[in-house]
């Protein structure tokens, strides 16, 4: 992808299908290395993640609650298992995923047994020192 196009995609919090599929494949590769099943990208989860990423970017904070409580945000999905990872300050998803892998709580979410679907989104706030804000929702 051309750098200027990636900037537009990140600035608007959009994920092109090839990029979104890459997120799921990177998470799935990590899960596979730990003996777990792959996950696939889900449009509804992407929307929930995008809402959270945009709320964090708009407020310039890394938070699980700035976009509303997690339970409320995922209630309509009617899932038995659901978890969220958030991050900021990493320009690429690969960097973000590496940070999550190295954090016990985030790693636990990535390796959630029974997970089948994932949604990932980012949003940009150029005035914030973090720059890019990331959110991931993983469910059964």
């Amino acid at each position: 992808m051309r750098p200027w196009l990636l900037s537009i995609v990140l600035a608007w919090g959009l994920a092109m299908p090839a990029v979104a599929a890459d997120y799921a494949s990177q998470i799935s590769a990590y899960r596979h290395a730990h003996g777990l099943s792959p996950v696939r990208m889900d449009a509804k989860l992407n929307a929930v993640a995008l809402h959270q990423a945009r709320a964090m970017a708009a407020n310039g904070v890394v938070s699980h609650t700035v976009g509303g409580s997690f339970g409320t945000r995922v209630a309509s999905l009617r899932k038995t298992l659901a978890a969220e990872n958030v991050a900021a300050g990493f320009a690429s998803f690969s960097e973000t995923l590496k940070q999550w892998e190295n954090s016990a709580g985030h790693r636990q979410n990535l390796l959630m047994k029974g997970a089948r679907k994932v949604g990932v989104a980012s949003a940009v706030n150029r005035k914030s020192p973090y720059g890019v804000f990331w959110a991931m929702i993983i469910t059964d």
Side-chain angles (χ1 to χ4, degrees), residues 19-131:
V19 174
D22 187 50
Y23 298 159
S25 69
Q26 288 181 57
I27 293 167
S28 292
Y30 182 70
R31 290 174 56 80
H32 178 76
H34 291 83
L36 296 170
S37 61
V39 290
R40 65 180 169 81
M41 197 56 65
D42 181 85
K44 289 179 183 176
L45 297 180
N46 282 343
V48 174
L50 181 57
H51 171 80
Q52 186 63 16
R54 285 181 173 166
M56 291 188 304
N59 289 280
V61 298
V62 182
S63 167
H64 288 282
T65 59
V66 70
S69 77
F70 180 68
T72 300
R73 290 184 284 115
V74 298
S76 67
L77 301 173
R78 298 190 173 144
K79 298 294 182 181
T80 309
L81 302 170
E84 175 180 67
N85 285 356
V86 296
F90 303 98
S92 72
F93 180 70
S94 296
E95 293 171 306
T96 303
L97 182 58
K98 182 56 78 181
Q99 185 271 331
W100 287 338
E101 291 170 2
N102 293 326
S103 163
H106 294 105
R107 182 173 50 252
Q108 182 178 357
N109 291 343
L110 290 168
L111 299 176
M112 184 171 67
K113 288 182 168 67
R116 297 179 332 173
K117 297 177 182 179
V118 68
V120 177
S122 63
V124 173
N125 176 340
R126 297 198 190 285
K127 294 179 181 178
S128 165
Y130 291 116

